[in-house]
Amino acid sequence: VDYSEKNEDCCVGVYRIAGAATAVQTSLVPGAVIPLDTEYRSITTPGRPFVENTDDFGFSSHLAIDLSDDITFKSILAHRKFDGLNSVDADLGAADILQQIIDVSQELNSAEATLNGNWGKLDWLAGAYYSDESIDYRPSLTYGAAVKRFITALTGGAINAATTAALYPTGGGNTGSVFKQESSSYSFFTHNQYQLTDRWGVVAGLRYNHEDKEGGLVSYTTNSPSCGGGPFNGPQDFTNFDRCITRS
């Protein structure tokens, strides 16, 4: 059995070049400055820490039974569960413009059983394997309180405050998406060695494997006109999903 837990304040993006957009962001926050040493410094929104929390749990069992002097049964059962939560100041600047949160969960189960033994000069093994895995991935990308002023300033007033307030409401954007993936596989296999002499032998093996996998966007929700309105559900909404990401 194993278990691990991480609670990190991690990981910010560092600046190699601080350009015009960075200057506009910084101007929206009184007292904020652009780092002089841009290769090693970062800029973050006060109260928007970079957080990564994970929980990882797993166990496996190994069983071996001698059914006779020549035949042994073995089995391996395993389970693993991973949960992660990531919160990022997605605009990488001093102003509160974008926040990204990713909630992910993954679960894997597997089982293997084999029979092996010897019959005269033949060492033989036959077995079967099965696994199933599920992934639940839930990202969101929402607008902060300063996004309206940022867009107005960035466009030199071409997009006015009233328009940005309607298109980019605080807390709006991609408020929730759900992606899921399910997969399962099974296989049968055999491995055999026949000893011709003390120094020479013949090995023959065969394996059959079958795998099914499906997944994709289950639901997408937005309360922002900049993303096309909403909520939307189902694969038909990829167009609106792309528009939201592009405009964000």
Side-chain angles (χ1 to χ4, degrees):
V1 177
D2 68 273
Y3 174 77
S4 66
E5 178 180 338
K6 290 195 302 181
N7 298 286
E8 300 180 325
D9 293 326
C10 178
C11 298
V12 300
V14 295
Y15 275 76
R16 294 300 299 269
I17 298 174
T22 304
V24 172
Q25 284 195 55
T26 306
S27 70
L28 301 177
V29 182
V33 296
I34 298 175
L36 296 177
D37 186 358
T38 56
E39 188 171 353
Y40 298 103
R41 301 293 180 86
S42 63
I43 310 175
T44 59
T45 303
R48 293 282 197 196
F50 287 70
V51 176
E52 172 111 335
N53 299 328
T54 65
D55 291 284
D56 192 8
F57 168 76
F59 74 83
S60 63
S61 67
H62 298 249
L63 174 68
I65 301 176
D66 292 327
L67 301 179
S68 70
D69 292 339
D70 300 322
I71 300 176
T72 301
F73 170 79
K74 295 182 180 179
S75 75
I76 302 174
L77 303 176
H79 168 81
R80 180 155 296 278
K81 181 74 162 59
F82 174 85
D83 295 296
L85 180 64
N86 177 272
S87 178
V88 176
D89 180 17
D91 56 80
L92 301 177
D96 183 16
I97 296 174
L98 287 174
Q99 182 182 23
Q100 183 182 59
I101 296 177
I102 298 176
D103 188 358
V104 61
S105 178
Q106 181 180 13
E107 186 170 354
L108 175 66
N109 300 288
S110 65
E112 180 178 293
T114 62
L115 282 172
N116 69 281
N118 57 77
W119 183 31
K121 294 183 178 183
L122 175 67
D123 291 330
W124 57 271
L125 180 144
Y129 174 84
Y130 174 80
S131 71
D132 65 74
E133 181 184 39
S134 63
I135 301 174
D136 188 281
Y137 181 79
R138 299 172 183 261
S140 67
L141 185 67
T142 54
Y143 304 131
V147 66
K148 298 177 283 293
R149 291 185 295 137
F150 175 68
I151 293 175
T152 298
L154 199 64
T155 60
I159 303 178
N160 59 39
T163 302
T164 57
L167 291 176
Y168 303 93
T170 301
N174 174 17
T175 56
S177 299
V178 178
F179 295 84
K180 289 184 179 293
Q181 179 177 292
E182 302 285 343
S183 63
S184 64
S185 68
Y186 62 86
S187 61
F188 304 98
F189 52 90
T190 181
H191 180 89
N192 308 280
Q193 178 173 320
Y194 187 81
Q195 203 67 31
L196 298 174
T197 69
D198 291 341
R199 300 181 60 187
W200 295 94
V202 177
V203 175
L206 184 67
R207 184 182 185 94
Y208 171 81
N209 189 75
H210 178 88
E211 181 172 8
D212 290 311
K213 182 180 291 186
E214 61 180 5
L217 176 64
V218 176
S219 64
Y220 166 73
T221 304
T222 173
N223 60 1
S224 171
S226 64
C227 300
F232 302 100
N233 292 286
Q236 69 273 16
D237 302 312
F238 272 118
T239 301
N240 292 292
F241 182 75
D242 292 339
R243 286 173 56 194
C244 178
I245 295 301
T246 302
R247 296 193 179 188
S248 297

